[in-house]
Amino acid sequence: MRRLSRRDLLVLGLLLGIPVLLDLALVWGPALASVGLSFTSWDGIGAIHGVGGRNYVDVTTNYPPFWPAVRHNLIWLGFLALVATPLGLFFAVLLDRGIRFSRFYQSALYLPVVLSLAVIGFIAQLIFSRDQGALNSLLGRTQDPVDWIGDPNINLWAVLLLAGWRHTGYVMILYLAGLKSVDPSLKEAAAIDGANEGQAFFRVVLPTLRPVNIIVGVITVIEALRAFDIVYAVNHGRNGLELLSVLVTDNIIGEASRIGFGSAVAVLLLVVSIGCIIGYLAQELREDRYGSRARRRARPRKAPGGERP
């Protein structure tokens, strides 16, 4: 093996060192700082005073928006995981079959992904506005309009439709790339064994997409827990649209300037995010390990003479 020259080591150090330093400075540095500040009382200007775990107690017991925000984030996660993600997989399967105008459909479904959630929030205002919204006009409710954004009983679901619209296109592209890499001989073998299209997909194709499933699962959790832009653009994340990310912003950079208190909310959000992702990855890796063991046990062994029994 050729030894690396001094120039190679310098280039390798720059290519690895700069991203690591940026990651530490922009991601882990603020994260660790938030953990430390969550045990303090600080308004961003005066002295920092340690308060122990009082911020966490106040967040969970004396802060009314906290538990509604937790419930909304869980609803967000459930909607993306159980509605938007399967819908993206369904569209990917249709496009993979080579239907007519597949390029057009693929571009149309992927279009929301290139838009930021803030832009989608402004689109939500145009569609769901009470007085001049497009939806009330289409439904003929101009005289007795529905307050899609102002009614806390329905505004979360109205926003989730647009968030799911964006998430579906993202998931579709990921699954479409995975389906293109599936060996066609697997489908042919399943057809020869008498499996119909549904059985071939769920028993042969979908198990081969396990790496894509892991990526989609992690992305879904991240998208659900970091949601902020769309609700902030609609009504600043209030009146039925409270999310944990909005509570962090309101306390840290809002009028309250309770940086320690807001950091406690941010740490709780970080713990929930990491916990969900680690739990999901552990489950996937456990199933993959058990599957590998089962395949090794099912593999025929060679007889002592070199022939298979």
Side-chain angles (χ1 to χ4, degrees):
M1 180 181 295
R2 185 178 66 88
R3 296 184 59 182
L4 296 176
S5 65
R6 183 176 299 177
R7 180 181 179 182
D8 294 335
L9 292 175
L10 178 61
V11 172
L12 184 61
L14 291 175
L15 292 178
L16 291 179
I18 293 177
V20 170
L21 290 176
L22 289 175
D23 186 63
L24 291 174
L26 301 179
V27 178
W28 291 107
L32 294 177
S34 296
V35 174
L37 289 172
S38 66
F39 296 99
T40 67
S41 175
W42 187 39
D43 60 1
I45 299 176
I48 300 177
H49 303 284
V51 295
R54 192 179 70 190
N55 285 330
Y56 293 97
V57 175
D58 290 341
V59 165
T60 55
T61 59
N62 298 321
Y63 191 42
F66 177 74
W67 290 112
V70 172
R71 181 170 61 87
H72 294 162
N73 273 111
L74 292 177
I75 293 174
W76 206 287
L77 176 60
F79 184 85
L80 294 185
L82 301 179
V83 178
T85 296
L87 192 59
L89 176 59
F90 174 72
F91 287 144
V93 172
L94 288 181
L95 294 175
D96 185 59
R97 298 178 63 179
I99 61 175
R100 294 185 61 185
F101 307 112
S102 60
R103 293 292 184 182
F104 170 77
Y105 295 136
Q106 180 177 333
S107 301
L109 292 171
Y110 186 73
L111 179 62
V113 182
V114 302
L115 302 176
S116 69
L117 283 174
V119 174
I120 294 179
F122 291 121
I123 294 175
Q125 290 182 325
L126 296 176
I127 296 175
F128 297 117
S129 176
R130 180 182 183 275
D131 297 324
Q132 299 177 348
L135 185 57
N136 279 329
S137 298
L138 291 175
L139 296 177
R141 299 293 298 267
T142 55
Q143 300 298 326
D144 184 22
V146 178
D147 195 358
W148 302 99
I149 294 178
D151 189 346
N153 295 320
I154 60 176
N155 58 4
L156 179 64
W157 302 105
V159 171
L160 277 175
L161 287 177
L162 291 177
W165 171 53
R166 183 178 185 271
H167 188 71
T168 297
Y170 195 11
V171 171
M172 178 201 69
I173 290 296
L174 293 176
Y175 274 120
L176 189 58
L179 289 171
K180 296 297 183 184
S181 64
V182 175
D183 189 354
S185 62
L186 295 176
K187 301 178 184 179
E188 296 174 0
I192 293 174
D193 290 339
N196 57 36
E197 290 188 8
Q199 292 172 334
F201 176 77
F202 286 106
R203 298 184 181 181
V204 178
V205 176
L206 191 59
T208 64
L209 296 176
R210 180 176 295 274
V212 182
N213 292 334
I214 294 176
I215 294 174
V216 169
V218 172
I219 288 175
T220 301
V221 173
I222 293 174
E223 287 291 325
L225 296 179
R226 77 176 183 90
F228 170 80
D229 311 59
I230 184 170
V231 297
Y232 207 79
V234 170
N235 68 351
H236 297 281
R238 299 184 179 123
N239 191 30
L241 293 181
E242 295 85 358
L243 294 174
L244 290 175
S245 58
V246 176
L247 301 186
V248 174
T249 304
D250 286 345
N251 283 280
I252 291 181
I253 64 175
E255 297 179 359
S257 294
R258 297 188 296 176
I259 295 180
F261 190 85
S263 297
V265 180
V267 171
L268 291 175
L269 178 58
L270 176 64
V271 170
V272 172
S273 303
I274 294 178
C276 290
I277 292 174
I278 291 177
Y280 178 79
L281 291 178
Q283 179 66 24
E284 290 292 331
L285 294 175
R286 189 181 301 114
E287 292 179 0
D288 187 54
R289 189 183 307 117
Y290 290 158
S292 299
R293 290 178 182 176
R295 286 191 294 270
R296 285 197 298 267
R297 292 173 182 173
R299 187 178 301 164
R301 299 178 180 177
K302 291 185 178 181
E307 297 179 358
R308 296 185 183 274

